[in-house]
Structure formats: C-alpha cells, structure tokens
Amino acid sequence: MPTIADAYDQWADQYDTNQNKTRDLEGHALRTLLDSLERPLASVLEIGCGTGKNSEWLVTRAQQVVGVDFSLEMLARAQAKVQAENIRFEFADITEPWEFTDQKFDLITFSLVLEHVEDLRFVFAQTLAHAKPGGLVYVGELHPFKQYQGSQARFDTPAGRVEVPVFQHHVAEFTQLAKAAGLYLLDLREWFDEDAPAGPPRILTLLFQRMQVVS
C-alpha cells in the first residue's frame, strides 16, 4: 500500500475530474456552513488544500488564506488553479509541529484530512495554538457511518485501484478530543447524498470555537 502522500501525488492529475460524491458534497457543506456564519474572516488556514477545490472559494471570503498540503503534486495544481494575491501555499506535514507559520487565524479548516491522521490529540493541540481567541475550526470528513460500511478514499489507475490509508474516528472521538484540547463544539451536521436521502449520511461537519481569553 502506498503512503498517504504518495497516493495523493498519484491521484492529483485526475482528482478534479473523477466522479467523486464525497469531494463534491464536502465542498458544498463547507460553503453552506461558512456562508451561514455571516462574520468577517481576516485570515484562514486551510489544512489539506489539495488541488484548491475549496481554496478558490475561500479567497473570495477572507483577506488572507494559507493553504497547506503534504502532496507536492496536489499543491502544484492548487497553485496553478488559484492565483489570487491573498493566498499562499505551504508544503507541510501536520502530524509534525506546525513550523510553517507562527500566525494565529480567524478560521482553520480541515477538509477530508483527519481520516488520514491517527493522532487527533496532536493535531487539535496544534490547531488550538494557531487559532485566535474566539477563532473557529471547521472539520469536514467522510462520515464514520460510511467508513463502517467500508467506504474510504480510493481511485483507479491503469495499474489498478489505489486505496489511500485511513484511520477510523468515531463522532464522539472528534468532539471529545477537540474539547480536551480546548475547542468547543458549536455545530454538528450530517450531509446526505441527494439521490439517497434515506441512506447513511456521507459527510460529517463539525464547527468548533476556541474560547475567548478572559483577563
């Protein structure tokens, strides 16, 4: 099985053109949820920017966006797609200390990222350290219910199917580990396929907030 980074490097040239309900519904969920906030965003840290599928929307909503990924091929496509002056892209592995920035952000987003991370405690701790007091954290993931049924990130190549390594995290794991890190749940939603509204939800979104510092 390839590493996660190697798999996404292989996937990059077809990621935007493949039929992918998970990619498309998560993008819709992010836009819908964040548009409903009706609050200005000076700075956004986008973790797992991939090919820029959400970056091109975020740059229209924030004064500054930093897009991070650890697939060089994905980053190359994001940089070619999103050439706005208010975004910069960084190569980084978020399972290591976040030395790619010392900035604190109004919003940090994770789109289809945390299923590829085994230790959520470390990532949530780094998130807290880079969120402004009162800052928001958006998480959009393949719903655990879909994982329980065997769904995971995968794509086909001429040599065969490639399955991207994943870890299973339950809904309570997301919420409790985030709370333990100092991130408090504001919103939890489940998003269903239009053609299967009675089936299991495809996407789970969670919106957290770092508490304000009281002096």
Side-chain angles (χ1 to χ4, degrees):
M1 181 177 290
T3 67
I4 298 168
D6 287 344
Y8 274 102
D9 281 344
Q10 294 179 51
W11 200 355
D13 66 350
Q14 54 175 298
Y15 188 81
D16 288 337
T17 55
N18 281 356
Q19 182 179 6
N20 188 329
K21 290 183 177 181
T22 300
R23 173 201 63 205
D24 295 342
L25 186 55
E26 191 282 325
H28 168 72
L30 176 141
R31 288 158 174 76
T32 302
L33 182 56
L34 297 185
D35 254 352
S36 71
L37 298 178
E38 297 183 349
R39 62 180 281 180
L41 297 171
S43 57
V44 175
L45 175 60
E46 183 189 9
I47 301 295
C49 64
T51 62
K53 70 181 181 70
N54 288 332
S55 312
E56 56 187 353
W57 183 83
L58 289 169
V59 296
T60 69
R61 298 301 193 276
Q63 297 177 24
Q64 178 200 17
V65 179
V66 177
V68 175
D69 209 284
F70 77 153
S71 164
L72 289 172
E73 294 297 328
M74 287 279 189
L75 278 173
R77 283 156 179 79
Q79 289 172 318
K81 180 190 300 183
V82 188
Q83 299 184 355
E85 293 184 354
N86 62 327
I87 189 169
R88 78 173 193 270
F89 293 100
E90 298 283 350
F91 171 77
D93 181 350
I94 63 164
T95 65
E96 301 292 337
W98 293 11
E99 297 177 352
F100 54 86
T101 181
D102 58 3
Q103 185 176 347
K104 294 184 184 294
F105 295 86
D106 295 296
L107 170 68
I108 299 175
T109 70
F110 295 86
S111 293
L112 307 177
V113 172
L114 296 182
E115 66 180 315
H116 303 303
V117 174
E118 184 173 15
D119 184 2
L120 296 183
R121 292 178 178 84
F122 176 81
V123 170
F124 283 145
Q126 293 294 298
T127 300
L128 185 77
H130 288 84
K132 292 180 179 178
L136 300 176
V137 178
Y138 162 89
V139 173
E141 288 293 319
L142 179 68
H143 201 291
F145 290 176
K146 296 291 284 187
Q147 285 189 315
Y148 301 157
Q149 295 182 329
S151 293
Q152 72 175 89
R154 58 169 68 97
F155 61 98
D156 293 318
T157 73
R161 173 159 291 183
V162 176
E163 294 188 340
V164 186
V166 295
F167 302 94
Q168 195 172 89
H169 301 298
H170 309 299
V171 175
E173 185 178 358
F174 285 117
T175 58
Q176 294 302 312
L177 293 182
K179 182 179 179 181
L183 301 169
Y184 293 87
L185 184 66
L186 297 179
D187 187 283
L188 185 155
R189 302 188 194 185
E190 296 169 313
W191 305 77
F192 295 79
D193 292 326
E194 288 186 355
D195 59 353
R202 177 172 294 275
I203 295 295
L204 171 72
T205 62
L206 306 109
L207 188 68
F208 300 100
Q209 184 174 36
R210 177 179 175 177
M211 295 298 290
Q212 297 275 4
V213 175
V214 179
S215 58

